[in-house]
Amino acid sequence: MEQRRIAASLVKKFKTRDPFRIADELGFIVIRTHLEGIRGFWNYAQRQHLIFVDDRLPDTVARFVCAHEIGHVLMHRGFNRI
């Protein structure tokens, strides 16, 4: 699977499995904020990848959401949707 290959290469490159640290290393900005009806999303604005994660989520869920959004950025670069 392409997803597993991408994940493994990120872990190897950045020597961490923490999606928040990986996002930082990739130069993405992660914003923890209050979201209604969604757990997270990503956006590309002014040449910057932004990942929004609901600040009310438990840490384990927030990590999953951040990792999920990193996957969207890396696998769907041509899209910019919420």
Side-chain angles (χ1 to χ4, degrees):
M1 286 185 148
E2 184 180 4
Q3 299 96 324
R4 288 179 192 233
R5 183 185 56 76
I6 291 170
S9 70
L10 291 172
V11 168
K12 184 177 180 179
K13 180 175 182 177
F14 298 119
K15 297 175 179 42
T16 183
R17 291 183 176 276
D18 181 348
F20 291 103
R21 286 183 46 203
I22 291 171
D24 185 58
E25 291 289 337
L26 290 169
F28 301 167
I29 296 173
V30 178
I31 301 167
R32 300 282 307 258
T33 189
H34 182 75
L35 299 175
E36 277 298 325
I38 58 173
R39 294 178 177 175
F41 67 95
W42 74 276
N43 196 2
Y44 183 74
Q46 298 180 356
R47 296 185 291 178
Q48 182 62 57
H49 291 283
L50 307 168
I51 295 176
F52 294 84
V53 178
D54 191 334
D55 62 357
R56 296 171 297 159
L57 296 173
D59 190 53
T60 53
V61 177
R63 289 168 50 94
F64 177 83
V65 170
C66 183
H68 177 86
E69 298 307 327
I70 290 170
H72 279 296
V73 173
L74 298 178
M75 297 184 70
H76 309 294
R77 286 196 183 266
F79 297 99
N80 192 27
R81 300 181 187 150
I82 294 176

